[in-house]
Amino acid sequence: MENLFYEKDKKIPGIHHVTAIAGDPQRNVDFYTGLLGLRLVKLTVNFDDPGTYHLYYGDEAGRPGTILTFFPWPGARRGRRGNGQVATVSFSIPQGAMGYWQAQLKRHGVATGQPKSRFDEEALAFSDPDGLLLELVAHPAAESHAPWQEGPLPAARAIRGLHSVTLWSSHERTAALLAETLGFRPLPDAAGRSRFAATPDGPGALVDVIHRPDGEPGSGGAGTVHHVAWRTPDGAQQLAWRQTIGEQGLHVTPVMDRRYFHSIYFREPGGVLFEIATDPPGFTLDEPQAQLGTQLKLPPWLESRRAGIEQRLPPLDLPGKRVA
Ligand code: ZN
């Protein structure tokens, strides 16, 4: 009975990471570490395509809820934002930091509109160099997550992890799955969006759904999100999720070893690719926190091919260092 209760009572505690597609890896590193001041917390390869990088950005420790990752394919064609995708990735910034960020983006030639008020927050929208739609969201809870103290930008203004993702969906069941199956708490609608909150609060605790019954479907490519991963505390709860998702009539993959977490994947009814990823073992599995992201890391099953992999990867200037 205990196990049954555990299984029925489970709730997603928020976003684990978001993975998107980029073009040029150097341009991606420069934008996310230089302009946005995120930490490169893991430099590795796409395990299914080891000739390309997999770049992970996050907070000082690479905590779940702060992670945005990219598959950078040089020369990749651009995708199209649309239904069945995460359309926007939003980062938290402290209240009072909006002026700093408007100046920072302008100084680097990044176009923005004016910040928009919605719920209890102000959101500034802009695009990354591949056209991925991002937001900086100033809100009261941002300061509950510590900034990267040693980062390149002033800590008092710095990004405090993910704020939310915004899904575009034509399907009523997208919202129902979040609330009734995954355990998100529906908040009152505002600004044409339905908002869902994870419990407990933390970075990446919110998901917005914009219902677009007549919207065009998106297509994958550079500048689009590939998937959003939700957190789960351990492998036992992940297996319970796998059963629950299957009972909803959705196709769910077996558990996959992603080295820094274990993953299952499924498409929600509106078409967005969802992953459920374990918090452990995390990014300090193969390098100490002080050295995160400073060298190319390969999983044990690719280590014997390191020389060939390094030869195929394009050279990359990291913050303070050149690799490959
Ligand atoms: Zn993922």
Side-chain angles (χ1 to χ4, degrees):
M1 283 311 286
E2 229 172 44
N3 192 37
L4 189 65
F5 175 77
Y6 173 66
E7 186 177 318
K8 280 196 165 70
D9 199 43
K10 63 193 183 301
K11 290 178 168 45
I12 293 288
I15 299 168
H16 185 284
H17 65 269
V18 178
T19 293
I21 301 166
D24 183 62
Q26 187 67 61
R27 193 172 62 171
N28 188 260
V29 168
D30 292 348
F31 185 85
Y32 285 95
T33 66
L35 198 161
L36 293 187
L38 300 179
R39 185 172 189 189
L40 181 68
V41 294
K42 193 61 63 182
L43 175 66
T44 184
V45 294
N46 182 338
F47 296 167
D48 301 321
D49 179 14
T52 61
Y53 288 110
H54 192 177
L55 305 171
Y56 289 77
Y57 306 100
D59 74 354
E60 184 169 15
R63 292 179 186 88
T66 73
I67 306 294
L68 175 60
T69 96
F70 287 90
F71 295 128
W73 283 303
R77 68 168 179 84
R78 279 207 176 184
R80 189 183 65 237
R81 187 161 43 248
N83 281 5
Q85 289 180 342
V86 170
T88 311
V89 180
S90 304
F91 294 101
S92 286
I93 57 169
Q95 288 183 305
M98 189 57 83
Y100 167 85
W101 279 104
Q102 285 177 284
Q104 167 77 347
L105 292 165
K106 191 172 177 188
R107 190 162 48 242
H108 287 84
V110 179
T112 68
Q114 286 301 310
K116 291 204 170 73
S117 293
R118 62 181 189 217
F119 302 98
D120 62 344
E121 65 202 27
E122 272 198 302
L124 182 69
F126 57 101
S127 296
D128 88 351
D130 290 298
L132 180 66
L133 193 57
L134 303 173
E135 286 179 337
L136 293 170
V137 182
H139 65 111
E143 297 195 47
S144 61
H145 189 71
W148 180 19
Q149 290 294 345
E150 308 299 317
L153 303 184
R157 311 280 189 228
I159 285 174
R160 308 297 177 93
L162 292 169
H163 170 268
S164 59
V165 287
T166 300
L167 315 183
W168 283 3
S169 176
S170 63
H171 209 299
E172 298 284 357
R173 276 186 66 204
T174 298
L177 182 82
L178 290 167
E180 291 160 24
T181 305
L182 300 183
F184 286 90
R185 183 164 40 91
L187 299 179
D189 290 7
R193 53 184 66 212
S194 306
R195 173 161 287 187
F196 300 86
T199 315
D201 291 351
L206 297 175
V207 47
D208 286 358
V209 178
I210 298 183
H211 186 55
R212 303 169 78 241
D214 302 318
E216 290 281 313
S219 66
T224 65
V225 171
H226 188 262
H227 63 266
V228 55
W230 312 113
R231 295 174 61 186
T232 196
D234 55 43
Q237 192 156 117
Q238 183 175 56
L239 287 175
W241 278 121
R242 190 168 182 275
Q243 185 178 337
T244 301
I245 304 302
E247 285 165 2
Q248 294 294 308
L250 300 171
H251 174 76
V252 55
T253 68
V255 175
M256 297 187 191
D257 182 0
R258 297 309 191 194
R259 183 92 171 122
Y260 308 105
F261 41 86
H262 287 81
S263 301
I264 57 174
Y265 302 84
F266 60 100
R267 278 193 196 277
E268 56 83 31
V272 182
L273 185 59
F274 281 3
E275 172 182 348
I276 295 178
T278 55
D279 281 2
F283 297 106
T284 52
L285 174 71
D286 57 1
E287 55 191 345
Q289 186 174 313
Q291 283 157 35
L292 288 176
T294 58
Q295 340 172 10
L296 181 72
K297 289 295 178 185
L298 297 176
W301 62 91
L302 291 177
E303 198 55 63
S304 64
R305 295 166 55 192
R306 177 177 280 273
I309 288 170
E310 286 185 348
Q311 209 165 23
R312 281 172 63 201
L313 287 168
L316 195 57
D317 281 327
L318 297 181
K321 198 176 176 197
R322 171 174 274 258
V323 297

